[in-house]
């Protein structure tokens, strides 16, 4: 293996808000903060360089221009898809229309800042 993804960097108007949201979604904890407001979150007891990538929420005042070319897919680890959907909506996710037909096995959602992500159907084993 030559490389693996260790971090995903997301530009955000409100790093605190997105760090709180994604920490709840993924079971992550805060790993560090920078003076510019950037917050890094990741798996507890693993941190940077572990099996799962960390998220770096970088403060930015640049307006977003259209749909992001990359999005995150998530799978529940301890409940079915419908129960996980309800949990994500309660945390602040919202449904988005990306042209789906209604026959898809996933739910297109957006985080509190409108970044698209999908909740897939399969349940996966937790890492650790």
């Amino acid at each position: 293996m030559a490389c693996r993804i260790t971090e995903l960097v997301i530009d955000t108007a409100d790093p605190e808000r997105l760090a709180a949201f994604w920490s709840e979604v993924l079971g992550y904890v805060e790993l560090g903060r920078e003076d510019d407001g950037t917050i890094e979150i990741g798996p507890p007891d693993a941190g940077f360089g572990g099996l799962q990538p960390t998220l770096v929420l970088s403060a930015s005042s640049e307006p977003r221009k259209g749909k992001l070319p990359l999005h995150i897919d998530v799978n529940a680890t301890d409940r079915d898809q419908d129960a996980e959907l309800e949990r994500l909506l309660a945390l602040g996710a919202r449904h988005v229309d990306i042209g789906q037909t209604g026959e898809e096995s996933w739910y297109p959602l957006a985080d509190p800042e409108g970044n698209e992500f999908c909740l897939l159907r399969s349940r996966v084993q937790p890492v650790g």
Side-chain angles (χ1 to χ4, degrees), residues 1-6 49-53:
M1 180 184 306
C3 291
R4 67 186 174 88
I5 296 171
T6 56
L51 294 176
Q52 297 171 277

Side-chain angles (χ1 to χ4, degrees), residues 25 52 75-80 84 122-127:
V25 169
Q52 297 171 277
N75 295 72
T77 60
D78 62 351
R79 63 198 67 166
D80 68 24
E84 184 63 2
S122 299
R123 188 182 304 181
V124 297
Q125 294 296 316
V127 175

